Every structure is written in C-alpha cells, then in structure tokens.
Amino acid sequence: MLGKIVNYIIEKNVVKINFENGSTYVKIINDEIINFFIPNVSEERNSKAIDKLNYKETKFSVRFIGQLLTISTKSLVVKIYAGFNIDIYDKDGNALCEDYRLERDPFIRRKGDYELAESEGHDLSKKNKDTIYIAKKMEDDMHFYGLGEKTGHLDKKYYHYKNWNTDNPNPHGETFEQLYKSIPFFVNFRKDKSFGIFFDNTFETNFDFGKENSNYYYFSAAGGNTDYYFIYGPSVKNVIEGYTYLTGTTPLPQLWTLGYQQCRWSYSPELRVWEVAEEFRKRDIPCDTIYLDIDYMDEYRVFTWDNNKFPHPEKTIRELKEEGFKVVTIIDPGVKVDNNYSIYKEGIENNYFAKDKNGQVYENVVWPGKAVYPNFLSSDVQKWWSRNQKILTDSGVSGIWNDMNEPASFNGPLPDDIEFNEDDKVVYHKEAHNVYGQLMCKATYKGIKDATKKRPFVVTRACYAGIQKYSTCWTGDNQSTWEHLRMAVPMLMNMGISGVAFCGTDVGGFGFDCSKELLSRWVQVGAFTPLFRNHSSMGTRDQEPWAFDKMTEDINRKYIKLRYSLLPYLYDCMKICEDTGIPVMKPLILNYEADKETYEINDEFLFGDNILVSPVLEQGKDKKMVYLPNGDKWIDFWDNKEYDGGQYIIKDAPIDICPIFVKASSVIPSYEVQNYVGEKVIDTLKLNIYLSNDDNNFEYTHYVDDGKSFAYKYGEYSKYRIVVKGRDEVVIDVNKIVDGYCDQYEYIEIIINKDCTNIICDGENVKFKKVRDKVHFTVALKANQKIVIK
C-alpha cells in the first residue's frame, strides 16, 4: 500500500522514510534494538509499556540505492524495500528475520452448518478483525518462547494465540487462545541467531507461529499503529535483557513477600482468620501472609470493611502483625452504584468513570451488583485511586491484590465503544481494554509507595507488557487438576521470559477439589516459584497444609521450610533480575543454548543459575526422568551423588521427594528457618559450597540490604564475594566488597558436600561436624576471610 520509496530524512536517531503513499519511521534505539513504526491512525506513540525510551549513542549508516534502503549498526544490517518490506541480517550477513512476501495461505477449514454447530456451543466462526498484519519467513529450526501467560508447551511453535484480557472461569486447556494477560512479546530462537519482537499495540492482537501455515509466522492487530521493536540477541538472555531495557525490570521486592502466602475465597469473618493464623504457628509451618478476599468488604464496596465480620480491622491487623502475619486485601475496579457511598460519589462528582457512547456513565454488573468502572487512563483518576490506597494502608494492610481488572463483568462484556478520557483525548474500550488492569496497578503501586515509603507489594490478574515495574502476577483461576499443575511450569517459564519474573500460580489449584497427592506435588513446585501462594475457591474442600493427613502436612512443612532456608539465595536472584531482567524461574535453554535437548523441556526448570528442579507432575508416579544439561556436573540435593551433564537419569521420587539438583562448583547461601521473615535476628550466613570432583574455580556474589525500604537505591547495601579454588586443597575467600549496609552477620557457617580431614581459617584450626554427609563449620566473620580445606 505504501508504494515505492521516494527519499529519506535522518533526524538524530530516526530515519524517516517517505514512500509514494505515506511515511514510515525507523528508530535506532541502540546497536541491537530497532523500532519500526507506521502511523496508521496517528503520529502519536503513547506507549503503556515503555515509560521512557532510553537511547544509547549509536553510530549507524544509511544507504539508498535503487529501491533498497540499508541501515547498518555495529550489530545489524536492516534492508528496507518498496512497501516497507524489511529483512534483517547480522553483521556477518546471516539472515535473522525476513518478511514473508507471498500471499497469505491459511489451511482449509472444512465447512458445514456453522450456525447449527454454534447453537450447541461450538465457536467455529474464527472472525478476523485484523487491520494490521505482518508476516515473517519461518525456518524449520526456529523455536518460539514468550507471550507471557499462555496455555500449552514452552515452545509455542505451531500454536496461535490472541491477546485480549479475558476472565473465563472454565478450566483452561491448550485450546484457550486468550487468558487474563496480554504481553505481545516473543523470542525467536535459533542457535546463535536469536531475536525478539515486541509489538507495542494495545488492541486485540494475534500471534501465529506457523499454525496457519508452516512457511510463515505472523503478528497482527485489530487497530492502532504498526509499532514493533526488533531486539537482537544473539542469545535468549540478551534478548530478555533488551526487552526489559525497554519495558523495565522487576524491582527488588520486600523480603517477606518471598515467603509463604496463604489465601482462600474467603477467610471471613475475623475468627476464621485467627483460626488459620494460629494453626500455622501451632503446627510449626512458616507463613508470612494471609489474604482477605472480597468478603471482608461492606457489600463488596471497595476500600471499605464489613464491620460485622471485621469490627476492629486496625486492631486485628496489628495483632496479626505481632504474630508475624502480613495482611493483603483484594480490590476490584468495579465501584458499587450507591449514592451514599463516598467512593462512588467522589467519582461521579469528578467525572472519574468510563462512559457509554451517549456520554452517560457506563454501568455493568460485578460483585456489588450495579457497578461503574474508573477511567484509569486519566491522570486525575490515577491520582485519586492512588490516594485511596491510604485507606487500607492506614489500617495496617501490607499489600493490595488487584482482581477482576481485565475488566471483568457479569452482564456481558464492555462494548468496544465505551469511552475513556485520557486527559482530554477519547480512547475507546477496544484500545484501552488490554491496559486497563495495568494502569490500575500503576496507580496502586504509586499509592502504596507514597503512603508507606516501602517497596509496594501489588498482585494482579490482568496486565499488559511492562507490568513487572508495578506488580507481581499470578496466573489466575486455575483448577485443582494434574493438567493445570503440568501447565503451570511452562506458563511460568514463559512469564519470566516475557519480563514478569515475580510470578506464581495458585498452589493446589483454585477451582475444583484438591487431593492430598496433588497438593504435595504442587507445593514442591511452589517452593521454587517466586510468588508462593496457596489459594482455593469458595465451595471447594480445604487445602491448607494440614487439611488432609499428617504425611501431607509434613510434606508441606518440609518444602515451605526449605523455601525459607533459601530466602537469601532467592533474594540474590531477585537482585540479579532487577539489574538485568533475567528471571529467577527459567527454562534450561536460557543457560544451555548449545544443548539441543533443552529446547523443549516443559517439566523442569532452573531456580536461579545453580539449582535445577524437576518436579513430579503426574499422579501416582514415584520416579522421574530428569535431564541434566550438558556443560556442567550436577549434584543430587538429597544424597550428594554427582552426575555428568548431558544425560537423562531416572530419579527415585517418592511422594515426599522432589528431584532437585545443584550445579557442581557453586555456592547456595541459606538462612536459619524462621516462622516468618523478621522473627529472628539472622547473625549467621550459611554458605553451602558444592565442590566438584574436578578442579574448582568459581565464585558467587551475595547481596544484603534491609529487605523493605528503598534505601538500597542510595547505597545502603552490602555485597560479599565468595571465591573458591582448588581440588585436593580448596581455598575459600570470603570478601566484603561493598560495605554500605550495617548488616547483622557475625558468623559464616560453611557447609561442604565433601569429606575433609582438616580446616584452617586464617591460620587457626577450626572444629567441624558432619551432618548427613555434609561437613559443617562456623567461624567469626572477618573483613577478608581465607579458609583452607584439606
């Protein structure tokens, strides 16, 4: 449609290309990231994912010969032809991403009486709303990861997905093309040639990775501008770093948010909350957080309390805090229509709610009955919503759980033409829908930060790309089925690839009835997911750790305590994530791209760089085939046996054992187990040193700060570097390389997986003890510590 290239203009880092029938823009963000833009509907680019586009000073050249315009950076060569057809190569001329120039050729759907079939409930229409369609040439060796929360396998090759945030309570399976979140970003993996594409478009978008035709993959949208970023690797890690460079990384959370969390629809009234809290402490099961679902509110009016169920919320929350429990309350966007309700009255008086095409405040039905929807696109509404958070934080609430923010509705979906006012610009629902929950979370984050001066804890169901800056995510209303446990692992790995590192599922499943075996296996996964929350629905059986029998309770206790012991390791991983964008829970391919066996492994994952988890995900199984990636040796967490990488092994996995392997030549920091974060003064840093049978030459950096404030942003943190070298005689150096936080460590406890005959610490012999095939010894922590192990 654009026709031939006429000329081009360079304006700083932007190449404006004038065609016969319009103009396009190529923006060079840096040597590896290029933005392609066609102003289909407007010249304005108001991204809801990228707060501020940070350009790096980049040298590039432009050549225009015939009908070929070539833009070259240090890393990429971009060839642009008539019609804005684009081919991208690396600096050595290897093709990375080429436009598909042939006609679209979808597979044939056998026709019949669609109307009759749909009357039985089958959706066969497959209506196409696309106004933007971009197809790329597909190669056999391509693999596709990302798109956030989607069903199916880790590799999305031959799948089709839609981005349209949807609250669908039916059990989700591989046939579900859309769920609660829309993250239009994917990684195209080919060995040494990986790249990502971020399609920054908030309308309904579609991604097809060869399902329609294996000769091409495409992304499309139902409206808006053509606006996408090409992000070169060449490794998958590089791509993720590039994507989070654009959209932001996951900020370091408060330490308590990484502990165990308990939720149910609903813990109400107050007596029931105390019953649950007391059971945790009585049964010696750590827990930091209890959630209150919608029944804590006064007839589901947001920012209110039911004074019959919770007569003294401030007192209750204060007393729960004294026992170590933080309270997180749910908030939905739907505001009850009630002229005597202050939140509704303020919204009406200030014109804060979305309107229909006739200019009337739009009403639908959710939990409180008739409800209206805040216009979160307005900066005034965002400020108002932010201020409202203080109502709850002043009561002692520690975090906010944003739900039903797709936005969900009971009386039919919101029409496409519902109007939102974005600071005097009308934006219709068809454009605002996918970012509605995102903007709600942004306002919530700012409100909590302003009110508490601490790192906010926000949990959301719906979102768009870049949500990681404001909120953690859970994967919505899953079911207590083995299928959903299996699906959780690749779903969470793809969330991490998509920038959302702080994520988790409802452990045990939300809907249906959990079994004791299912809960036992699910808690073994949950212990290694960044967000570790057990949640279940009204009308289902109890699934707290003690809800079944002693064995199930013991298994829950075992893995919850394991999680608490690993908190310093997880916190280190979260700091790496803030700095680089690399997630905590990740597929094996992220660290082992050279190993083809890792490309499509759905049932195991890395927890940080040093721990591999291969959970049992099938009923009745007591053995697990585990793949140990090539390039490292691996040590069984339970029996210390060492294995070469690059092989499959069969691991015995009775109901209380989750196969866990630690990378040889690595350090895992740990703490003494607590009932909740802050219960004990942690004066000893435990360093679990996993020595290899070969020569050891490795290091680890441990990070520590106050675990709650933003003081670390201003230098109030410390770092320790642990360097390990040697074989028969191993030298361990522990050095404090950053000393900005007056931390509480007085001792270090070294735990070694090998037998030894002598330990010398700075010239002094140290006593040691053997505990379950591991050698333990504790020494006073000095500024620069040298330990020799023989």
Side-chain angles (χ1 to χ4, degrees):
M1 299 292 290
L2 287 166
K4 295 181 179 180
I5 301 174
V6 177
N7 56 36
Y8 69 92
I9 301 169
I10 299 176
E11 299 173 351
K12 294 184 178 179
N13 64 317
V14 179
V15 182
K16 180 181 180 182
I17 307 172
N18 297 311
F19 292 81
E20 292 175 307
N21 302 315
S23 298
T24 66
Y25 300 84
V26 179
K27 186 174 290 188
I28 293 85
I29 312 302
N30 57 39
D31 287 315
E32 290 80 30
I33 304 176
I34 312 290
N35 172 245
F36 301 97
F37 180 76
I38 306 175
N40 305 103
V41 295
S42 71
E43 294 280 342
E44 181 184 12
R45 289 196 274 182
N46 185 12
S47 176
K48 299 299 186 294
I50 302 172
D51 286 349
K52 182 181 178 182
L53 203 49
N54 295 313
Y55 306 101
K56 290 184 179 177
E57 187 174 338
T58 306
K59 292 182 180 179
F60 63 93
S61 63
V62 181
R63 290 186 304 160
F64 183 34
I65 301 173
Q67 276 298 296
L68 171 61
L69 188 146
T70 304
I71 302 172
S72 300
T73 73
K74 185 174 68 175
S75 304
L76 298 171
V77 177
V78 181
K79 296 184 177 182
I80 300 170
Y81 301 85
F84 206 43
N85 283 305
I86 301 166
D87 297 333
I88 303 174
Y89 302 82
D90 67 17
K91 63 180 180 180
D92 297 320
N94 299 305
L96 300 172
C97 179
E98 301 172 276
D99 274 4
Y100 184 76
R101 290 166 170 78
L102 300 179
E103 291 293 321
R104 188 171 180 174
D105 184 21
F107 62 81
I108 297 172
R109 293 187 182 275
R110 297 299 175 186
K111 296 182 178 179
D113 191 339
Y114 278 10
E115 186 174 335
L116 182 62
E118 288 181 349
S119 67
E120 192 192 4
H122 301 282
D123 181 13
L124 304 174
S125 57
K126 304 296 180 185
K127 296 182 180 71
N128 187 353
K129 301 179 183 178
D130 294 344
T131 62
I132 298 169
Y133 167 82
I134 300 167
K136 304 290 185 181
K137 184 179 177 182
M138 189 159 166
E139 304 289 350
D140 289 340
D141 61 346
M142 288 179 174
H143 301 267
F144 298 89
Y145 310 109
L147 289 188
E149 173 199 73
K150 300 298 182 191
T151 59
H153 293 77
L154 175 68
D155 185 359
K156 300 307 183 187
K157 193 172 185 177
Y158 306 129
Y159 280 78
H160 175 277
Y161 292 103
K162 182 184 294 184
N163 278 334
W164 186 253
N165 292 354
T166 303
D167 173 25
N168 187 337
N170 294 318
H172 309 142
E174 287 190 32
T175 58
F176 277 63
E177 294 187 330
Q178 62 204 60
L179 286 174
Y180 306 97
K181 301 169 184 65
S182 294
I183 303 180
F185 164 75
F186 66 89
V187 176
N188 180 314
F189 170 73
R190 279 192 296 168
K191 190 170 179 291
D192 301 325
K193 297 180 183 178
S194 295
F195 63 86
I197 288 180
F198 171 40
F199 185 29
D200 195 2
N201 184 300
T202 67
F203 287 77
E204 178 186 299
T205 55
N206 286 274
F207 290 80
D208 188 296
F209 300 117
K211 178 178 180 179
E212 179 175 289
N213 187 313
S214 60
N215 291 319
Y216 58 84
Y217 60 98
Y218 74 81
F219 49 99
S220 62
N225 292 320
T226 302
D227 187 1
Y228 70 94
Y229 295 80
F230 177 89
I231 306 164
Y232 180 50
S235 73
V236 178
K237 277 188 175 180
N238 295 150
V239 176
I240 296 171
E241 289 170 346
Y243 170 70
T244 54
Y245 173 79
L246 293 172
T247 62
T249 63
T250 300
L252 192 61
Q254 291 195 57
L255 186 59
W256 67 263
T257 68
L258 301 176
Y260 179 75
Q261 307 184 8
Q262 187 66 48
C263 186
R264 183 172 178 84
W265 180 25
S266 285
Y267 289 135
S268 176
E270 177 187 311
L271 188 64
R272 176 63 177 141
V273 179
W274 275 112
E275 180 185 320
V276 172
E278 288 168 359
E279 286 296 320
F280 274 105
R281 297 297 179 250
K282 182 176 71 176
R283 295 173 183 271
D284 185 32
I285 301 173
C287 180
D288 262 275
T289 309
I290 293 178
Y291 285 71
L292 300 183
D293 211 314
I294 55 175
D295 296 310
Y296 80 91
M297 294 184 241
D298 177 16
E299 295 185 344
Y300 310 116
R301 295 173 178 87
V302 292
F303 304 112
T304 69
W305 291 87
D306 185 322
N307 290 327
N308 292 318
K309 297 174 182 174
F310 293 88
H312 305 290
E314 293 89 352
K315 179 175 179 289
T316 299
I317 293 173
R318 184 178 66 252
E319 290 174 350
L320 283 166
K321 254 182 197 172
E322 290 170 359
E323 297 298 321
F325 292 99
K326 277 65 72 175
V327 171
V328 174
T329 50
I330 198 169
I331 288 289
D332 297 337
V335 174
K336 183 177 177 63
V337 175
D338 177 359
N339 289 323
N340 296 316
Y341 169 37
S342 62
I343 300 293
Y344 175 75
K345 285 170 62 180
E346 286 176 29
I348 291 294
E349 289 167 4
N350 292 284
N351 202 25
Y352 284 164
F353 300 121
K355 296 183 176 180
D356 64 21
K357 61 183 178 182
N358 300 313
Q360 302 299 309
V361 173
Y362 174 75
E363 295 181 3
N364 205 308
V365 176
V366 281
W367 302 119
K370 282 187 179 181
V372 292
Y373 294 83
N375 170 28
F376 289 123
L377 277 76
S378 161
S379 57
D380 287 340
V381 174
Q382 286 209 25
K383 291 173 185 174
W384 171 63
W385 200 259
S386 291
R387 290 193 300 271
N388 288 337
Q389 308 306 311
K390 198 170 187 299
I391 298 170
L392 293 171
T393 58
D394 281 354
S395 296
V397 168
S398 296
I400 299 296
W401 168 23
N402 285 332
D403 198 11
M404 304 291 285
N405 54 348
E406 290 71 33
S409 53
F410 296 168
N411 194 21
L414 278 64
D416 283 351
D417 59 0
I418 293 301
E419 295 181 0
F420 297 86
N421 189 308
E422 187 174 16
D423 300 337
D424 298 326
K425 172 191 170 187
V426 174
V427 177
Y428 294 106
H429 179 245
K430 60 184 178 181
E431 181 178 358
H433 175 86
N434 281 341
V435 293
Y436 189 83
Q438 179 104 333
L439 297 175
M440 180 186 183
C441 290
K442 184 177 182 180
T444 303
Y445 179 93
K446 187 176 187 307
I448 297 174
K449 183 178 179 182
D450 289 346
T452 68
K453 311 306 179 187
K454 295 178 181 177
R455 306 171 207 172
F457 181 57
V458 184
V459 187
T460 190
R461 190 169 74 175
C463 67
Y464 181 69
I467 187 61
Q468 62 269 13
K469 298 188 292 289
Y470 317 118
S471 179
T472 179
C473 297
W474 97 102
T475 57
D477 295 346
N478 60 1
Q479 301 288 313
S480 297
T481 64
W482 290 93
E483 178 190 10
H484 275 218
L485 173 57
R486 288 191 295 273
M487 187 168 65
V489 176
M491 184 179 285
L492 291 174
M493 289 192 287
N494 273 316
M495 289 280 282
I497 285 174
S498 306
V500 187
F502 196 2
C503 58
T505 66
D506 286 342
V507 169
F510 176 70
F512 201 49
D513 297 314
C514 194
S515 69
K516 61 182 183 180
E517 183 185 1
L518 180 59
L519 180 60
S520 297
R521 292 305 190 187
W522 212 316
V523 78
Q524 293 168 16
V525 175
F528 296 96
T529 60
L531 180 66
F532 186 15
R533 182 181 81 157
N534 179 317
H535 183 36
S536 53
S537 176
M538 179 181 290
T540 65
R541 70 172 299 163
D542 288 352
Q543 63 182 47
E544 291 80 21
W546 55 84
F548 294 93
D549 56 19
K550 184 179 183 303
M551 181 180 70
T552 308
E553 179 182 334
D554 289 345
I555 291 168
N556 274 259
R557 183 184 297 105
K558 174 180 178 177
Y559 284 91
I560 293 171
K561 284 192 170 187
L562 176 57
R563 167 61 165 243
Y564 275 78
S565 73
L566 291 173
L567 281 180
Y569 174 75
L570 175 54
Y571 200 61
D572 285 342
C573 294
M574 294 301 297
K575 186 64 177 77
I576 291 169
C577 180
E578 180 182 57
D579 293 341
T580 67
I582 301 302
V584 178
M585 181 181 180
K586 51 193 171 183
L588 273 55
I589 186 177
L590 248 66
N591 286 25
Y592 299 96
E593 287 191 15
D595 187 346
K596 291 183 178 180
E597 293 293 324
T598 67
Y599 296 174
E600 298 190 62
I601 292 181
N602 297 282
D603 62 348
E604 56 187 76
F605 57 91
L606 293 170
F607 181 63
D609 288 328
N610 297 340
I611 298 177
L612 184 150
V613 184
S614 185
V616 174
L617 306 175
E618 295 180 84
Q619 182 177 331
K621 300 295 184 182
D622 61 3
K623 296 183 186 299
K624 179 71 188 290
M625 185 169 73
V626 180
Y627 182 70
L628 302 173
N630 197 16
D632 284 307
K633 292 181 181 291
W634 298 91
I635 298 169
D636 190 313
F637 178 79
W638 302 109
D639 64 16
N640 258 355
K641 185 177 178 181
E642 184 173 313
Y643 295 87
D644 290 330
Q647 64 169 323
Y648 288 91
I649 65 167
I650 303 297
K651 169 66 180 174
D652 286 333
I655 188 63
D656 67 327
I657 292 294
C658 174
I660 303 167
F661 293 82
V662 181
K663 186 174 71 174
S665 301
S666 67
V667 179
I668 307 291
S670 63
Y671 283 162
E672 180 183 355
V673 173
Q674 309 174 75
N675 280 311
Y676 57 89
V677 170
E679 180 193 26
K680 301 175 182 178
V681 174
I682 303 296
D683 64 355
T684 301
L685 173 64
K686 298 183 179 184
L687 297 175
N688 298 269
I689 311 287
Y690 285 85
L691 300 173
S692 170
N693 290 328
D694 300 329
D695 286 339
N696 294 281
N697 188 1
F698 59 95
E699 65 179 63
Y700 181 89
T701 301
H702 171 59
Y703 172 91
V704 64
D705 61 23
D706 68 15
K708 56 188 177 183
S709 77
F710 287 95
Y712 77 99
K713 293 280 191 181
Y714 307 100
E716 292 188 24
Y717 65 89
S718 293
K719 282 186 177 181
Y720 296 85
R721 178 174 293 147
I722 301 97
V723 179
V724 183
K725 293 182 179 180
R727 183 174 182 173
D728 296 328
E729 180 176 291
V730 178
V731 178
I732 303 172
D733 280 321
V734 181
N735 296 315
K736 195 173 189 180
I737 57 174
V738 178
D739 189 8
Y741 171 61
C742 297
D743 58 76
Q744 65 273 34
Y745 300 148
E746 296 180 22
Y747 305 95
I748 52 172
E749 181 178 349
I750 306 291
I751 304 162
I752 308 166
N753 64 309
K754 300 286 183 184
D755 283 332
C756 57
T757 58
N758 193 25
I759 300 170
I760 301 172
C761 179
D762 289 343
E764 296 181 4
N765 286 316
V766 179
K767 294 181 180 180
F768 57 93
K769 61 181 179 179
K770 197 169 184 180
V771 182
R772 290 193 297 274
D773 298 324
K774 293 184 179 181
V775 175
H776 294 235
F777 64 94
T778 303
V779 296
L781 182 60
K782 301 176 183 177
N784 293 295
Q785 198 94 28
K786 178 172 282 189
I787 301 161
V788 180
I789 300 168
K790 296 182 179 180

